[in-house]
Amino acid sequence: MSEIVVNAVSKSWGGVGGVDRISFKAEAGTLLVLLGPSGCGKSTTLRLIAGLEEVDSGTITIGGRDVTHLSPAERRISMVFQSYALFPHLNVAENIIFGLKVRRVGRAEREARLKKVADIVGLSHLLERKPSQLSGGQRQRVALGRAIIAEAPVCLMDEPLSNLDAKLRHEMRTEIRSLQQRLGMTMVYVTHDQTEAMTMADRVILMRDGHIEQNGAPHELYNEPASDFTARFIGTPPMNIIGWRDGSLLGVRPEHISLVERDGVSARVKAVEYLGADSIILCDTDGGTVCVRQTGYCSLPAGAQVELGWQNCHIHLFDKDSGKRRTGGVSPH
Amino acid sequence: MVAAVMSDAAPSAAKRRTWTTSINAWLLLLPAIVLLATFTHYPILATLYHSFFSLGRSGPAEFIGLDNYRYMLDDDVFRQVLRNNFIFAIATVPTSIALALLMAVWVDKKIVGRSFLRLAFFTPTVLPMIAVANIWLFFYTPDYGLLDQFLRFLGFAGHNWLGDPATVMSCLAVMVVWKEAGFFMIFYLAALQTIPPELKEAASVEGASRWYFFRRVTLPLLMPTTLFISINALINSFKLVDQLVIMTKGGPNNASSLLLYYIYEVAFNFWDTTYAATLTVTLITILAAVALTKFVYLDRRIHYQ
Ligand SMILES: Nc1ncnc2c1ncn2[C@@H]1O[C@H](COP(=O)(O)OP(=O)(O)OP(=O)(O)O)[C@@H](O)[C@H]1O
Ligand SMILES: [Mg+2]
């Protein structure tokens, strides 16, 4: 099958940007998400796998075949570009079947596959339109259609849903995931939306400044963040990180903090965000601002004095300087 | 209270404002209108008017209806120059466009000495036609011209390139292509640089060869430019006659004469101004037809982003 192995790959432009000696593996038939803030090297990694950028050093194999120096076409992949890259003079249908035409797929099969894909991405009624006559989200779906119609064993997607509204994004997310599983595609999916990452991924790679911060299953990133960066990135709202004794940082998730009667950390309510199913209480403490998640509606007024408490099993400790997770010897209070 | 007063005053104030706006607009347009009217529209109408009159060398000019046009259709020289002009257009327009595209695609690549190449291709454009004609006159001169010297070096006999009706048009066409192609290349180059590089990447992921991409993506996206260039080239092939003054004077035996050069001869060598007016109206009609084709027909059929 076609697993992707990236081995110690570096790429920079005159020493700046790009990625630095990254290694990871996407198992065949799984969905790997590259997650990270803007400019951390997600697109670069994807383009290196696609062969649109030359590696400076390192190797890339797809399905056991060394593709490091092969052209994009020889790598047998399909791709959704961050900027869509639609052909402006071709209509939606022609854009979607562009690759099939290149590969001389017969007309009947082309039509059949187009119909199926147009249904999936919800563009059946717009097939005659030119890209300039489409909304941003519709263009994005054309790009998506062009990638999935190829039925390539490896599919690379660069933020394919960034321009869709919440409802459509949720639908497409489910659609892409089920398609990927049904066709057994190996998919590398770039996003900076952690909800997308957590819900779709078999494995998430969190990147930062051109290197891999953490590589693991979604629950691993959530439950055992390897650094305070991961802790601050994953979760809505993310983990609370406050300065603690002996040069360490203490992290605890909002849902693991509760308001207690006494013997807690004293804090002052700054604001309450009501989300429906639960409320987020923002509190000021000595160590910084802390978010507390409480189920249901919370009626605390701003300025109220509260005590915060949590259980020892729920805390994470990080080194202040390196940001790395500290294991063992947890001594709270 | 204030609102009531304002709503009362509103219609007349609004009207006054529209008025002032139109006056302002017309005042701003005035200089351009005056210049265009004096030097373009009036002369065209005057030309049209004169083309319906006799010359009046002896006595006053008389209205003679379409006689001038009838004469024109029987004029062998007119037919020849018109034919020459069409041959000239067919020879120069597609060639210079193809060459321009080729050069543009070439210098659009990331190659060493790209700026130098671009400059080299563009240089003929900045030279005045008169200078170009003089340079090429030296190439084509019998016996000691560059071309003949070169041929003699290879062991061939010399040839009077511009003096032979069989070769004169080709010689002029080659020169005009050389001069024009660089100019058109700039337009193609500009257009090529507006094509996003991701399109090429998307096509290469799909396995499209460079030729396929060129044919199916680049060329269609360059269509508006091609149209613009071909209209310009076509108009130029009727407009540009400086080289004839320097190189052939339309000869030998009108073999290289073009419509505009013939008009010049009729008007300023033979002083037959009304016949020149007739020819001019014909030329303007041809050019207007070309321009109209662009605006009315082709613009609708070609993809614009
Ligand atoms: N062609 C290039 N030339 C120079 N620097 C580049 C180039 N492409 C990317 N970079 C740099 O490499 C770094 C990573 O860029 P990349 O496009 O991979 O970010 P990203 O993670 O995809 O960000 P985003 O979420 O904003 O798309 C950035 O600092 C960027 O400035
Ligand atoms: Mg990106």
Side-chain angles (χ1 to χ4, degrees):
Chain A
M1 286 279 281
S2 27
E3 91 270 323
I4 305 169
V5 181
V6 172
N7 188 13
V9 164
S10 295
K11 170 75 189 175
S12 70
W13 289 271
V16 294
V19 293
D20 184 29
R21 288 185 65 81
I22 52 169
S23 305
F24 62 86
K25 181 172 175 184
E27 299 285 351
T30 62
L31 196 154
L32 175 84
V33 165
L34 295 177
L35 179 68
S38 186
C40 67
K42 307 181 296 290
S43 296
T44 306
T45 310
L46 205 68
R47 291 169 58 82
L48 285 166
I49 299 174
L52 297 170
E53 306 281 358
E54 266 299 311
V55 298
D56 291 342
S57 64
T59 58
I60 298 171
T61 64
I62 296 178
R65 200 163 57 114
D66 185 349
V67 298
T68 315
H69 301 290
L70 295 187
S71 72
E74 289 167 318
R75 299 186 184 200
R76 289 199 289 275
I77 51 163
S78 60
M79 180 159 178
V80 179
F81 288 76
Q82 192 166 8
S83 53
Y84 320 146
L86 302 181
F87 302 110
H89 61 297
L90 300 179
N91 65 28
V92 170
E94 291 165 332
N95 260 293
I96 293 179
I97 60 170
F98 183 88
L100 300 186
K101 268 191 166 164
V102 171
R103 293 189 289 277
R104 298 177 190 284
V105 173
R107 169 180 285 271
E109 188 185 344
R110 241 166 34 206
E111 296 298 323
R113 273 159 82 171
L114 171 64
K115 198 174 164 307
K116 214 168 61 191
V117 168
D119 277 343
I120 292 174
V121 295
L123 288 171
S124 302
H125 58 299
L126 298 172
L127 290 178
E128 300 300 318
R129 297 261 193 103
K130 292 277 174 68
S132 59
Q133 300 164 317
L134 299 176
S135 74
Q138 289 165 341
R139 284 179 211 179
Q140 202 153 38
R141 283 183 278 155
V142 179
L144 202 58
R146 191 172 63 187
I148 59 186
I149 202 170
E151 295 176 6
V154 170
C155 184
L156 310 175
M157 297 199 172
D158 200 344
E159 304 196 17
L161 308 183
S162 59
N163 263 329
L164 306 185
D165 62 66
K167 179 170 171 293
L168 203 54
R169 186 185 299 211
H170 186 253
E171 278 172 26
M172 292 306 296
R173 205 157 73 196
T174 327
E175 195 64 63
I176 291 177
R177 178 64 163 152
S178 74
L179 200 74
Q180 177 264 330
Q181 286 176 330
R182 206 164 62 229
L183 299 179
M185 285 191 278
T186 310
M187 190 177 278
V188 180
Y189 187 106
V190 166
T191 180
H192 51 226
D193 177 351
Q194 48 136 332
T195 319
E196 227 164 87
M198 303 298 276
T199 50
M200 292 174 79
D202 291 308
R203 207 166 184 80
V204 178
I205 292 182
L206 181 65
M207 296 184 68
R208 175 195 191 182
D209 289 340
H211 66 261
I212 292 176
E213 190 76 18
Q214 188 167 0
N215 176 349
H219 64 89
E220 287 170 6
L221 267 76
Y222 192 83
N223 294 329
E224 262 174 70
S227 65
D228 69 316
F229 177 80
T230 310
R232 282 185 226 261
F233 201 86
I234 307 284
T236 37
M239 188 184 284
N240 297 300
I241 306 280
I242 49 182
W244 207 241
R245 301 183 207 113
D246 50 284
S248 62
L249 298 170
L250 178 136
V252 53
R253 297 236 171 245
E255 59 269 35
H256 293 146
I257 304 181
S258 49
L259 304 182
V260 292
E261 298 295 322
R262 57 204 154 76
D263 292 344
V265 174
S266 63
R268 223 172 115 86
V269 175
K270 199 159 78 171
V272 177
E273 291 170 0
Y274 176 56
L275 301 177
D278 39 26
S279 310
I280 307 294
I281 310 167
L282 291 160
C283 306
D284 277 329
T285 67
D286 291 340
T289 304
V290 168
C291 294
V292 180
R293 186 192 294 272
Q294 236 194 7
T295 43
Y297 181 70
C298 169
S299 59
L300 280 174
Q305 286 291 338
V306 290
E307 302 264 306
L308 306 178
W310 49 77
Q311 288 177 337
N312 282 349
C313 62
H314 285 138
I315 65 171
H316 309 257
L317 282 178
F318 304 100
D319 191 79
K320 196 166 207 151
D321 300 318
S322 66
K324 291 267 181 300
R325 181 184 188 83
R326 279 190 188 169
T327 42
V330 169
S331 60
H333 308 306
Chain B
M1 177 69 197
V2 176
V5 171
M6 271 179 53
S7 72
D8 253 3
S12 70
K15 211 180 277 170
R16 194 157 352 106
R17 211 168 322 119
T18 344
W19 236 97
T20 343
T21 317
S22 341
I23 297 259
N24 271 339
W26 282 105
L27 280 177
L28 287 169
L29 286 174
L30 194 63
I33 291 179
V34 169
L35 285 174
L36 270 177
T38 331
F39 296 110
T40 306
H41 301 145
Y42 170 71
I44 289 178
L45 291 177
T47 308
L48 186 63
Y49 176 81
H50 285 302
S51 70
F52 296 122
F53 283 81
S54 73
L55 189 55
R57 270 194 186 125
S58 44
E62 279 173 43
F63 181 78
I64 52 168
L66 292 174
D67 273 6
N68 278 330
Y69 290 91
R70 239 167 259 137
Y71 173 76
M72 180 180 80
L73 293 179
D74 284 339
D75 181 2
D76 284 339
V77 181
F78 168 72
R79 288 199 201 166
Q80 164 136 37
V81 296
L82 197 62
R83 193 168 53 238
N84 282 353
N85 226 151
F86 280 113
I87 292 173
F88 187 66
I90 290 169
T92 57
V93 177
T95 336
S96 51
I97 290 177
L99 206 59
L101 182 58
L102 206 68
M103 295 192 298
V105 169
W106 190 26
V107 300
D108 190 42
K109 294 213 191 87
K110 291 195 177 73
I111 48 170
V112 196
R114 179 170 71 163
S115 319
F116 176 76
L117 261 181
R118 285 181 187 180
L119 184 68
F121 287 157
F122 191 62
T123 312
T125 306
V126 297
L127 297 176
M129 196 59 182
I130 303 284
V132 170
N134 276 304
I135 296 171
W136 283 77
L137 191 58
F138 166 67
F139 292 171
Y140 290 140
T141 310
D143 295 337
Y144 60 88
L146 196 65
L147 195 53
D148 267 9
Q149 284 190 26
F150 182 67
L151 284 178
R152 213 168 35 221
F153 177 76
L154 293 179
F156 293 98
H159 187 82
N160 187 355
W161 298 100
L162 297 177
D164 182 350
T167 52
V168 64
M169 279 298 268
S170 320
C171 289
L172 291 177
V174 168
M175 183 194 76
V176 167
V177 167
W178 177 82
K179 171 145 173 58
E180 299 261 274
F183 185 51
F184 299 146
M185 176 200 76
I186 295 295
F187 291 99
Y188 271 132
L189 200 53
L192 280 174
Q193 287 171 358
T194 63
I195 298 180
E198 301 91 67
L199 294 190
K200 180 142 219 165
E201 294 175 351
S204 72
V205 167
E206 300 284 2
S209 66
R210 268 162 57 187
W211 173 236
Y212 188 95
F213 180 77
F214 181 76
R215 233 170 4 115
R216 291 297 162 87
V217 182
T218 313
L219 265 191
L221 289 179
L222 289 178
M223 253 345 247
T225 315
T226 306
L227 173 69
F228 173 78
I229 292 176
S230 37
I231 297 294
N232 272 298
L234 200 56
I235 291 175
N236 273 355
S237 70
F238 281 89
K239 224 172 62 175
L240 220 62
V241 295
D242 313 16
Q243 71 275 22
L244 298 183
V245 181
I246 304 287
M247 299 175 84
T248 65
K249 302 266 188 295
N253 193 19
N254 289 319
S256 68
S257 189
L258 300 177
L259 187 51
L260 186 57
Y261 187 74
Y262 184 49
I263 294 175
Y264 166 80
E265 274 191 317
V266 170
F268 300 107
N269 291 343
F270 314 150
W271 293 105
D272 189 347
T273 47
T274 55
Y275 184 45
T278 313
L279 292 170
T280 306
V281 170
T282 312
L283 177 59
I284 289 174
T285 314
I286 294 173
L287 294 184
V290 171
L292 221 62
T293 327
K294 173 194 160 28
F295 288 128
V296 177
Y297 178 63
L298 289 174
D299 271 6
R300 267 191 241 138
R301 296 203 13 184
I302 291 182
H303 154 83
Y304 278 106
Q305 268 180 289

